[in-house]
Structure formats: C-alpha cells, structure tokens
Amino acid sequence: MTEPRTARKKRANGVESRQRILDAAVEIAGERGYEGTSIAAVSAACGLPASSIYWHFKDKDDLIAAVIERSFDTWLAAFELPGEETGTPRERVTAVAGNVAKSLVDAPDFLRLGLMLALERRPCEPRGRTVFLQVRDIACARIAEMAQTLVPGLDEESVRILTTYAVAGADGLFVQREINGDAVDLVAMLELHAQLVYDAATRMVTPGEA
C-alpha cells in the first residue's frame, strides 16, 4: 500500500526540523557552553518554536546528547583500519589518524561539547556527559583492537597504556586547534601522533614476540 503523500511530507519536514534544531544547538553550545545553552536560545537560532523542539527532545540535556551522538556517528566512521594493501602497519595507522582528523575538522561538535561536559562535575550527571563517555569508550576499544592487530605480541597492560596515550594526545591536539584555529594543522599533527604511538608500541613488544 502506497504511503499517503501528506504522511511522507510530514516525516520529511520532521527530519528537516530536527536537523535545524541540532545545527542551532551546536552553534549556541559552541558559543555559550552547556550552561549557557537554553531551549529559548536554540529556538531563536533555528526559527522554530520551543514546542517544536520539545516535540523532538525531552529537554536541553536530551538535545545536547543528540548533538553529540550525531557528530560521533560521523567521527566513528573514520575509525576504520584500512586493508593491508594500503601499506605497512605504520602507514595504515597514519591513514586512520588522518581520516579521524579530517572528520573532527568537518564535525568538531562531538569532541568540543563532549570535553566541556566531561570536565564539568555536577551532582546530577547530564545525559550528554554519559553519552560522550560511552561513545568515547567505543573509540578506545577501536584503538585497542588496532594496536593488537598491527603490533601482535602486545600484552594487555601495554595496550591499555598505548590507548590512553593515543587518546590523551589527540585530545590535546584538538584543544590546541580550538585555541589557535587553522594555525594548527590537525591532520598533520594527528598523523605524526599516530606514528609516534605506533613506534612506541613496537618498542613495547617483548623481543621474539613481534
């Protein structure tokens, strides 16, 4: 049975409205942070009434969580290890780092908002912070898998240390770009960081196990 045109139109309008709201929330949160973001401010920025925002999102916290989730989907897609035809293990991990950096340049709201929330402590933890930490764990698991694939012989503790080092370094480089803007070539910096992590990993393998 063919779906009525009016139903399809409403669904399309709903998707479009949701994207407008999310785009406005990114803009407001980027300027004012979590505390300074309000449904009223998002409504003014996107041109939709507050009732439309509440139709899509339960409250501000739900809206910010959705912003993080949308950006994370784009970011995580870059976290795929290319095949062996790409080159050496070092070249493959460099390629991943470059793709991740490009995704952050194109859609930085996941990490920008997530870090804001992660550094703020409240008696009642915002859902956005919980979502950020959960998806961050997924990224860490991807990095750990890559380390074990590219550098066989690493023990569990070495993988944990390398993952922490990789994530912390990427965070620092991202913050540096947020401060200094395009003066920081995030792609080049993250590629170099990935190479340093890989080199450290190869040195951590017990001789004879590599």
mmCIF file of all heavy atoms in Angstrom, residues 147-196:
data_model
loop_
_atom_site.group_PDB
_atom_site.id
_atom_site.type_symbol
_atom_site.label_atom_id
_atom_site.label_comp_id
_atom_site.label_asym_id
_atom_site.label_seq_id
_atom_site.Cartn_x
_atom_site.Cartn_y
_atom_site.Cartn_z
ATOM 1 N N ALA A 147 45.734 -1.642 17.834
ATOM 2 C CA ALA A 147 47.059 -1.902 18.398
ATOM 3 C C ALA A 147 47.368 -3.397 18.388
ATOM 4 O O ALA A 147 48.472 -3.814 18.013
ATOM 5 C CB ALA A 147 47.123 -1.352 19.827
ATOM 6 N N GLN A 148 46.396 -4.209 18.772
ATOM 7 C CA GLN A 148 46.607 -5.655 18.816
ATOM 8 C C GLN A 148 46.749 -6.253 17.422
ATOM 9 O O GLN A 148 47.480 -7.224 17.230
ATOM 10 C CB GLN A 148 45.443 -6.310 19.556
ATOM 11 C CG GLN A 148 45.410 -5.954 21.039
ATOM 12 C CD GLN A 148 44.103 -6.339 21.701
ATOM 13 O OE1 GLN A 148 43.038 -6.269 21.086
ATOM 14 N NE2 GLN A 148 44.168 -6.759 22.959
ATOM 15 N N THR A 149 46.054 -5.639 16.441
ATOM 16 C CA THR A 149 46.136 -6.127 15.066
ATOM 17 C C THR A 149 47.458 -5.751 14.412
ATOM 18 O O THR A 149 48.106 -6.581 13.749
ATOM 19 C CB THR A 149 44.979 -5.550 14.223
ATOM 20 O OG1 THR A 149 43.731 -5.989 14.761
ATOM 21 C CG2 THR A 149 45.087 -5.993 12.765
ATOM 22 N N LEU A 150 47.870 -4.506 14.601
ATOM 23 C CA LEU A 150 49.057 -4.004 13.911
ATOM 24 C C LEU A 150 50.363 -4.372 14.599
ATOM 25 O O LEU A 150 51.412 -4.442 13.953
ATOM 26 C CB LEU A 150 48.959 -2.482 13.767
ATOM 27 C CG LEU A 150 47.809 -1.970 12.893
ATOM 28 C CD1 LEU A 150 47.746 -0.454 12.928
ATOM 29 C CD2 LEU A 150 47.976 -2.450 11.456
ATOM 30 N N VAL A 151 50.295 -4.581 15.918
ATOM 31 C CA VAL A 151 51.513 -4.922 16.667
ATOM 32 C C VAL A 151 51.231 -6.169 17.503
ATOM 33 O O VAL A 151 51.012 -6.090 18.719
ATOM 34 C CB VAL A 151 51.967 -3.748 17.569
ATOM 35 C CG1 VAL A 151 53.352 -4.041 18.157
ATOM 36 C CG2 VAL A 151 52.002 -2.444 16.798
ATOM 37 N N PRO A 152 51.226 -7.337 16.879
ATOM 38 C CA PRO A 152 50.988 -8.585 17.626
ATOM 39 C C PRO A 152 52.062 -8.767 18.707
ATOM 40 O O PRO A 152 53.210 -8.397 18.525
ATOM 41 C CB PRO A 152 51.110 -9.668 16.545
ATOM 42 C CG PRO A 152 50.871 -8.956 15.258
ATOM 43 C CD PRO A 152 51.432 -7.574 15.441
ATOM 44 N N GLY A 153 51.647 -9.326 19.821
ATOM 45 C CA GLY A 153 52.600 -9.554 20.901
ATOM 46 C C GLY A 153 52.491 -8.567 22.039
ATOM 47 O O GLY A 153 53.101 -8.753 23.093
ATOM 48 N N LEU A 154 51.697 -7.505 21.849
ATOM 49 C CA LEU A 154 51.491 -6.550 22.938
ATOM 50 C C LEU A 154 50.668 -7.210 24.049
ATOM 51 O O LEU A 154 49.658 -7.857 23.773
ATOM 52 C CB LEU A 154 50.746 -5.310 22.433
ATOM 53 C CG LEU A 154 51.529 -4.301 21.594
ATOM 54 C CD1 LEU A 154 50.570 -3.271 21.008
ATOM 55 C CD2 LEU A 154 52.599 -3.609 22.436
ATOM 56 N N ASP A 155 51.095 -7.021 25.283
ATOM 57 C CA ASP A 155 50.293 -7.553 26.378
ATOM 58 C C ASP A 155 49.177 -6.575 26.728
ATOM 59 O O ASP A 155 49.124 -5.437 26.235
ATOM 60 C CB ASP A 155 51.164 -7.868 27.601
ATOM 61 C CG ASP A 155 51.905 -6.653 28.145
ATOM 62 O OD1 ASP A 155 51.327 -5.540 28.160
ATOM 63 O OD2 ASP A 155 53.075 -6.803 28.551
ATOM 64 N N GLU A 156 48.278 -7.011 27.587
ATOM 65 C CA GLU A 156 47.083 -6.225 27.912
ATOM 66 C C GLU A 156 47.430 -4.867 28.510
ATOM 67 O O GLU A 156 46.821 -3.851 28.175
ATOM 68 C CB GLU A 156 46.211 -7.025 28.886
ATOM 69 C CG GLU A 156 44.873 -6.376 29.177
ATOM 70 C CD GLU A 156 43.988 -7.255 30.043
ATOM 71 O OE1 GLU A 156 44.105 -8.496 29.958
ATOM 72 O OE2 GLU A 156 43.187 -6.698 30.811
ATOM 73 N N GLU A 157 48.407 -4.827 29.398
ATOM 74 C CA GLU A 157 48.785 -3.578 30.038
ATOM 75 C C GLU A 157 49.393 -2.609 29.026
ATOM 76 O O GLU A 157 49.135 -1.403 29.064
ATOM 77 C CB GLU A 157 49.780 -3.836 31.174
ATOM 78 C CG GLU A 157 50.281 -2.590 31.889
ATOM 79 C CD GLU A 157 49.171 -1.802 32.592
ATOM 80 O OE1 GLU A 157 48.036 -2.303 32.708
ATOM 81 O OE2 GLU A 157 49.460 -0.668 33.023
ATOM 82 N N SER A 158 50.186 -3.115 28.109
ATOM 83 C CA SER A 158 50.781 -2.263 27.077
ATOM 84 C C SER A 158 49.702 -1.653 26.191
ATOM 85 O O SER A 158 49.762 -0.472 25.826
ATOM 86 C CB SER A 158 51.775 -3.063 26.235
ATOM 87 O OG SER A 158 52.871 -3.499 27.009
ATOM 88 N N VAL A 159 48.701 -2.461 25.845
ATOM 89 C CA VAL A 159 47.599 -1.959 25.022
ATOM 90 C C VAL A 159 46.848 -0.855 25.760
ATOM 91 O O VAL A 159 46.496 0.182 25.177
ATOM 92 C CB VAL A 159 46.631 -3.107 24.646
ATOM 93 C CG1 VAL A 159 45.362 -2.552 24.005
ATOM 94 C CG2 VAL A 159 47.315 -4.092 23.714
ATOM 95 N N ARG A 160 46.635 -1.052 27.056
ATOM 96 C CA ARG A 160 45.938 -0.037 27.851
ATOM 97 C C ARG A 160 46.732 1.275 27.883
ATOM 98 O O ARG A 160 46.168 2.363 27.697
ATOM 99 C CB ARG A 160 45.726 -0.543 29.276
ATOM 100 C CG ARG A 160 44.887 0.385 30.154
ATOM 101 C CD ARG A 160 44.934 -0.025 31.607
ATOM 102 N NE ARG A 160 46.264 0.147 32.178
ATOM 103 C CZ ARG A 160 46.756 1.331 32.563
ATOM 104 N NH1 ARG A 160 46.036 2.440 32.417
ATOM 105 N NH2 ARG A 160 47.970 1.398 33.078
ATOM 106 N N ILE A 161 48.021 1.183 28.096
ATOM 107 C CA ILE A 161 48.873 2.376 28.152
ATOM 108 C C ILE A 161 48.879 3.103 26.809
ATOM 109 O O ILE A 161 48.733 4.329 26.738
ATOM 110 C CB ILE A 161 50.313 1.988 28.560
ATOM 111 C CG1 ILE A 161 50.337 1.516 30.008
ATOM 112 C CG2 ILE A 161 51.268 3.168 28.365
ATOM 113 C CD1 ILE A 161 51.666 0.915 30.438
ATOM 114 N N LEU A 162 49.030 2.350 25.727
ATOM 115 C CA LEU A 162 49.068 2.951 24.396
ATOM 116 C C LEU A 162 47.745 3.615 24.037
ATOM 117 O O LEU A 162 47.725 4.694 23.438
ATOM 118 C CB LEU A 162 49.421 1.882 23.363
ATOM 119 C CG LEU A 162 50.874 1.408 23.369
ATOM 120 C CD1 LEU A 162 51.013 0.130 22.563
ATOM 121 C CD2 LEU A 162 51.800 2.484 22.829
ATOM 122 N N THR A 163 46.645 2.978 24.415
ATOM 123 C CA THR A 163 45.333 3.553 24.133
ATOM 124 C C THR A 163 45.156 4.872 24.877
ATOM 125 O O THR A 163 44.684 5.865 24.312
ATOM 126 C CB THR A 163 44.223 2.566 24.523
ATOM 127 O OG1 THR A 163 44.370 1.356 23.772
ATOM 128 C CG2 THR A 163 42.849 3.159 24.250
ATOM 129 N N THR A 164 45.540 4.886 26.150
ATOM 130 C CA THR A 164 45.445 6.110 26.947
ATOM 131 C C THR A 164 46.297 7.216 26.342
ATOM 132 O O THR A 164 45.863 8.373 26.218
ATOM 133 C CB THR A 164 45.902 5.844 28.390
ATOM 134 O OG1 THR A 164 45.076 4.826 28.963
ATOM 135 C CG2 THR A 164 45.797 7.102 29.241
ATOM 136 N N TYR A 165 47.503 6.870 25.948
ATOM 137 C CA TYR A 165 48.424 7.834 25.348
ATOM 138 C C TYR A 165 47.875 8.376 24.032
ATOM 139 O O TYR A 165 47.931 9.585 23.753
ATOM 140 C CB TYR A 165 49.782 7.162 25.137
ATOM 141 C CG TYR A 165 50.809 7.988 24.420
ATOM 142 C CD1 TYR A 165 51.157 9.262 24.859
ATOM 143 C CD2 TYR A 165 51.470 7.483 23.296
ATOM 144 C CE1 TYR A 165 52.116 10.014 24.203
ATOM 145 C CE2 TYR A 165 52.433 8.226 22.638
ATOM 146 C CZ TYR A 165 52.750 9.497 23.086
ATOM 147 O OH TYR A 165 53.701 10.232 22.429
ATOM 148 N N ALA A 166 47.317 7.495 23.213
ATOM 149 C CA ALA A 166 46.776 7.904 21.921
ATOM 150 C C ALA A 166 45.607 8.870 22.092
ATOM 151 O O ALA A 166 45.543 9.914 21.425
ATOM 152 C CB ALA A 166 46.334 6.678 21.134
ATOM 153 N N VAL A 167 44.695 8.534 22.989
ATOM 154 C CA VAL A 167 43.504 9.371 23.194
ATOM 155 C C VAL A 167 43.874 10.705 23.833
ATOM 156 O O VAL A 167 43.397 11.765 23.410
ATOM 157 C CB VAL A 167 42.468 8.626 24.055
ATOM 158 C CG1 VAL A 167 41.311 9.543 24.415
ATOM 159 C CG2 VAL A 167 41.955 7.391 23.314
ATOM 160 N N ALA A 168 44.736 10.671 24.836
ATOM 161 C CA ALA A 168 45.130 11.910 25.512
ATOM 162 C C ALA A 168 45.851 12.859 24.554
ATOM 163 O O ALA A 168 45.626 14.076 24.567
ATOM 164 C CB ALA A 168 46.021 11.589 26.706
ATOM 165 N N GLY A 169 46.713 12.302 23.716
ATOM 166 C CA GLY A 169 47.423 13.138 22.750
ATOM 167 C C GLY A 169 46.478 13.758 21.743
ATOM 168 O O GLY A 169 46.608 14.937 21.384
ATOM 169 N N ALA A 170 45.512 12.984 21.278
ATOM 170 C CA ALA A 170 44.533 13.501 20.321
ATOM 171 C C ALA A 170 43.690 14.608 20.953
ATOM 172 O O ALA A 170 43.408 15.631 20.316
ATOM 173 C CB ALA A 170 43.641 12.368 19.829
ATOM 174 N N ASP A 171 43.303 14.413 22.213
ATOM 175 C CA ASP A 171 42.552 15.451 22.923
ATOM 176 C C ASP A 171 43.347 16.756 22.973
ATOM 177 O O ASP A 171 42.831 17.844 22.708
ATOM 178 C CB ASP A 171 42.254 15.013 24.364
ATOM 179 C CG ASP A 171 41.146 13.979 24.445
ATOM 180 O OD1 ASP A 171 40.411 13.809 23.457
ATOM 181 O OD2 ASP A 171 41.020 13.342 25.509
ATOM 182 N N GLY A 172 44.620 16.626 23.337
ATOM 183 C CA GLY A 172 45.458 17.820 23.458
ATOM 184 C C GLY A 172 45.622 18.553 22.144
ATOM 185 O O GLY A 172 45.563 19.788 22.093
ATOM 186 N N LEU A 173 45.816 17.819 21.071
ATOM 187 C CA LEU A 173 45.964 18.444 19.762
ATOM 188 C C LEU A 173 44.665 19.114 19.324
ATOM 189 O O LEU A 173 44.685 20.194 18.717
ATOM 190 C CB LEU A 173 46.392 17.394 18.733
ATOM 191 C CG LEU A 173 47.827 16.873 18.899
ATOM 192 C CD1 LEU A 173 48.060 15.668 17.994
ATOM 193 C CD2 LEU A 173 48.841 17.973 18.616
ATOM 194 N N PHE A 174 43.532 18.483 19.640
ATOM 195 C CA PHE A 174 42.244 19.086 19.301
ATOM 196 C C PHE A 174 42.056 20.401 20.062
ATOM 197 O O PHE A 174 41.635 21.411 19.482
ATOM 198 C CB PHE A 174 41.108 18.122 19.632
ATOM 199 C CG PHE A 174 39.743 18.691 19.367
ATOM 200 C CD1 PHE A 174 39.221 18.699 18.086
ATOM 201 C CD2 PHE A 174 38.973 19.225 20.400
ATOM 202 C CE1 PHE A 174 37.964 19.237 17.827
ATOM 203 C CE2 PHE A 174 37.721 19.757 20.152
ATOM 204 C CZ PHE A 174 37.203 19.756 18.862
ATOM 205 N N VAL A 175 42.366 20.399 21.353
ATOM 206 C CA VAL A 175 42.244 21.620 22.158
ATOM 207 C C VAL A 175 43.167 22.706 21.609
ATOM 208 O O VAL A 175 42.799 23.890 21.535
ATOM 209 C CB VAL A 175 42.570 21.331 23.635
ATOM 210 C CG1 VAL A 175 42.675 22.628 24.432
ATOM 211 C CG2 VAL A 175 41.503 20.427 24.245
ATOM 212 N N GLN A 176 44.371 22.322 21.210
ATOM 213 C CA GLN A 176 45.311 23.282 20.643
ATOM 214 C C GLN A 176 44.738 23.940 19.389
ATOM 215 O O GLN A 176 44.892 25.145 19.171
ATOM 216 C CB GLN A 176 46.629 22.577 20.316
ATOM 217 C CG GLN A 176 47.770 23.496 19.930
ATOM 218 C CD GLN A 176 48.307 24.299 21.095
ATOM 219 O OE1 GLN A 176 47.947 24.048 22.237
ATOM 220 N NE2 GLN A 176 49.156 25.270 20.814
ATOM 221 N N ARG A 177 44.049 23.139 18.565
ATOM 222 C CA ARG A 177 43.439 23.716 17.364
ATOM 223 C C ARG A 177 42.258 24.601 17.716
ATOM 224 O O ARG A 177 42.025 25.627 17.063
ATOM 225 C CB ARG A 177 42.980 22.607 16.410
ATOM 226 C CG ARG A 177 42.500 23.156 15.071
ATOM 227 C CD ARG A 177 42.087 22.062 14.115
ATOM 228 N NE ARG A 177 41.878 22.589 12.790
ATOM 229 C CZ ARG A 177 40.766 23.213 12.384
ATOM 230 N NH1 ARG A 177 39.762 23.367 13.223
ATOM 231 N NH2 ARG A 177 40.656 23.668 11.152
ATOM 232 N N GLU A 178 41.502 24.231 18.741
ATOM 233 C CA GLU A 178 40.393 25.070 19.177
ATOM 234 C C GLU A 178 40.902 26.436 19.642
ATOM 235 O O GLU A 178 40.240 27.459 19.444
ATOM 236 C CB GLU A 178 39.633 24.380 20.321
ATOM 237 C CG GLU A 178 38.812 23.188 19.897
ATOM 238 C CD GLU A 178 37.610 23.584 19.057
ATOM 239 O OE1 GLU A 178 36.664 24.180 19.615
ATOM 240 O OE2 GLU A 178 37.624 23.322 17.843
ATOM 241 N N ILE A 179 42.078 26.462 20.235
ATOM 242 C CA ILE A 179 42.657 27.714 20.739
ATOM 243 C C ILE A 179 43.264 28.537 19.609
ATOM 244 O O ILE A 179 43.037 29.750 19.512
ATOM 245 C CB ILE A 179 43.732 27.418 21.812
ATOM 246 C CG1 ILE A 179 43.082 26.781 23.045
ATOM 247 C CG2 ILE A 179 44.482 28.694 22.202
ATOM 248 C CD1 ILE A 179 44.080 26.263 24.053
ATOM 249 N N ASN A 180 44.029 27.868 18.741
ATOM 250 C CA ASN A 180 44.801 28.583 17.718
ATOM 251 C C ASN A 180 44.215 28.514 16.314
ATOM 252 O O ASN A 180 44.778 29.095 15.386
ATOM 253 C CB ASN A 180 46.235 28.057 17.694
ATOM 254 C CG ASN A 180 46.976 28.361 18.980
ATOM 255 O OD1 ASN A 180 46.850 29.437 19.534
ATOM 256 N ND2 ASN A 180 47.750 27.405 19.475
ATOM 257 N N GLY A 181 43.127 27.788 16.145
ATOM 258 C CA GLY A 181 42.461 27.741 14.849
ATOM 259 C C GLY A 181 43.279 27.063 13.768
ATOM 260 O O GLY A 181 44.026 26.115 14.028
ATOM 261 N N ASP A 182 43.179 27.581 12.547
ATOM 262 C CA ASP A 182 43.816 26.940 11.398
ATOM 263 C C ASP A 182 45.334 26.995 11.440
ATOM 264 O O ASP A 182 45.996 26.379 10.590
ATOM 265 C CB ASP A 182 43.320 27.590 10.106
ATOM 266 C CG ASP A 182 41.850 27.289 9.835
ATOM 267 O OD1 ASP A 182 41.356 26.290 10.390
ATOM 268 O OD2 ASP A 182 41.202 28.050 9.085
ATOM 269 N N ALA A 183 45.894 27.729 12.397
ATOM 270 C CA ALA A 183 47.352 27.739 12.545
ATOM 271 C C ALA A 183 47.861 26.354 12.925
ATOM 272 O O ALA A 183 49.033 26.029 12.734
ATOM 273 C CB ALA A 183 47.776 28.763 13.600
ATOM 274 N N VAL A 184 46.967 25.529 13.475
ATOM 275 C CA VAL A 184 47.307 24.149 13.832
ATOM 276 C C VAL A 184 46.752 23.218 12.755
ATOM 277 O O VAL A 184 45.543 23.163 12.538
ATOM 278 C CB VAL A 184 46.728 23.764 15.208
ATOM 279 C CG1 VAL A 184 47.000 22.293 15.510
ATOM 280 C CG2 VAL A 184 47.312 24.647 16.297
ATOM 281 N N ASP A 185 47.635 22.529 12.059
ATOM 282 C CA ASP A 185 47.222 21.559 11.041
ATOM 283 C C ASP A 185 46.888 20.250 11.755
ATOM 284 O O ASP A 185 47.770 19.428 12.021
ATOM 285 C CB ASP A 185 48.358 21.357 10.035
ATOM 286 C CG ASP A 185 47.952 20.463 8.859
ATOM 287 O OD1 ASP A 185 46.964 19.717 8.991
ATOM 288 O OD2 ASP A 185 48.641 20.506 7.829
ATOM 289 N N LEU A 186 45.619 20.079 12.077
ATOM 290 C CA LEU A 186 45.216 18.928 12.882
ATOM 291 C C LEU A 186 45.497 17.609 12.164
ATOM 292 O O LEU A 186 45.874 16.620 12.810
ATOM 293 C CB LEU A 186 43.731 19.026 13.240
ATOM 294 C CG LEU A 186 43.217 17.987 14.244
ATOM 295 C CD1 LEU A 186 43.946 18.122 15.581
ATOM 296 C CD2 LEU A 186 41.713 18.122 14.447
ATOM 297 N N VAL A 187 45.322 17.587 10.860
ATOM 298 C CA VAL A 187 45.572 16.353 10.121
ATOM 299 C C VAL A 187 47.040 15.944 10.236
ATOM 300 O O VAL A 187 47.366 14.804 10.590
ATOM 301 C CB VAL A 187 45.175 16.514 8.636
ATOM 302 C CG1 VAL A 187 45.557 15.256 7.851
ATOM 303 C CG2 VAL A 187 43.673 16.776 8.505
ATOM 304 N N ALA A 188 47.938 16.889 9.974
ATOM 305 C CA ALA A 188 49.372 16.585 10.043
ATOM 306 C C ALA A 188 49.785 16.213 11.463
ATOM 307 O O ALA A 188 50.586 15.287 11.670
ATOM 308 C CB ALA A 188 50.187 17.780 9.551
ATOM 309 N N MET A 189 49.226 16.922 12.451
ATOM 310 C CA MET A 189 49.601 16.677 13.841
ATOM 311 C C MET A 189 49.127 15.302 14.316
ATOM 312 O O MET A 189 49.846 14.575 15.002
ATOM 313 C CB MET A 189 49.021 17.761 14.746
ATOM 314 C CG MET A 189 49.649 19.148 14.577
ATOM 315 S SD MET A 189 51.390 19.205 15.081
ATOM 316 C CE MET A 189 52.211 19.050 13.486
ATOM 317 N N LEU A 190 47.890 14.933 13.957
ATOM 318 C CA LEU A 190 47.378 13.628 14.386
ATOM 319 C C LEU A 190 48.074 12.481 13.656
ATOM 320 O O LEU A 190 48.271 11.402 14.225
ATOM 321 C CB LEU A 190 45.867 13.552 14.178
ATOM 322 C CG LEU A 190 44.997 14.065 15.325
ATOM 323 C CD1 LEU A 190 43.519 13.834 15.020
ATOM 324 C CD2 LEU A 190 45.358 13.404 16.636
ATOM 325 N N GLU A 191 48.450 12.713 12.413
ATOM 326 C CA GLU A 191 49.201 11.684 11.695
ATOM 327 C C GLU A 191 50.558 11.453 12.364
ATOM 328 O O GLU A 191 50.984 10.305 12.553
ATOM 329 C CB GLU A 191 49.395 12.093 10.236
ATOM 330 C CG GLU A 191 48.119 11.994 9.408
ATOM 331 C CD GLU A 191 48.307 12.421 7.972
ATOM 332 O OE1 GLU A 191 49.323 13.104 7.683
ATOM 333 O OE2 GLU A 191 47.456 12.081 7.129
ATOM 334 N N LEU A 192 51.225 12.540 12.745
ATOM 335 C CA LEU A 192 52.511 12.415 13.433
ATOM 336 C C LEU A 192 52.334 11.723 14.782
ATOM 337 O O LEU A 192 53.132 10.851 15.168
ATOM 338 C CB LEU A 192 53.128 13.801 13.628
ATOM 339 C CG LEU A 192 54.435 13.868 14.446
ATOM 340 C CD1 LEU A 192 55.514 13.022 13.793
ATOM 341 C CD2 LEU A 192 54.896 15.312 14.604
ATOM 342 N N HIS A 193 51.266 12.091 15.496
ATOM 343 C CA HIS A 193 50.989 11.475 16.794
ATOM 344 C C HIS A 193 50.773 9.972 16.643
ATOM 345 O O HIS A 193 51.294 9.173 17.438
ATOM 346 C CB HIS A 193 49.758 12.129 17.412
ATOM 347 C CG HIS A 193 49.340 11.546 18.718
ATOM 348 N ND1 HIS A 193 50.181 11.450 19.808
ATOM 349 C CD2 HIS A 193 48.154 10.994 19.120
ATOM 350 C CE1 HIS A 193 49.545 10.892 20.818
ATOM 351 N NE2 HIS A 193 48.318 10.603 20.428
ATOM 352 N N ALA A 194 50.038 9.575 15.612
ATOM 353 C CA ALA A 194 49.784 8.151 15.379
ATOM 354 C C ALA A 194 51.085 7.403 15.101
ATOM 355 O O ALA A 194 51.282 6.271 15.568
ATOM 356 C CB ALA A 194 48.821 7.981 14.204
ATOM 357 N N GLN A 195 51.971 8.019 14.357
ATOM 358 C CA GLN A 195 53.261 7.394 14.072
ATOM 359 C C GLN A 195 54.085 7.217 15.344
ATOM 360 O O GLN A 195 54.734 6.184 15.545
ATOM 361 C CB GLN A 195 54.022 8.238 13.052
ATOM 362 C CG GLN A 195 53.388 8.238 11.667
ATOM 363 C CD GLN A 195 53.923 9.325 10.765
ATOM 364 O OE1 GLN A 195 54.842 10.069 11.131
ATOM 365 N NE2 GLN A 195 53.367 9.441 9.570
ATOM 366 N N LEU A 196 54.042 8.216 16.220
ATOM 367 C CA LEU A 196 54.776 8.123 17.486
ATOM 368 C C LEU A 196 54.191 7.019 18.372
ATOM 369 O O LEU A 196 54.932 6.282 19.034
ATOM 370 C CB LEU A 196 54.742 9.469 18.215
ATOM 371 C CG LEU A 196 55.496 10.611 17.533
ATOM 372 C CD1 LEU A 196 55.242 11.926 18.270
ATOM 373 C CD2 LEU A 196 56.989 10.320 17.473
#
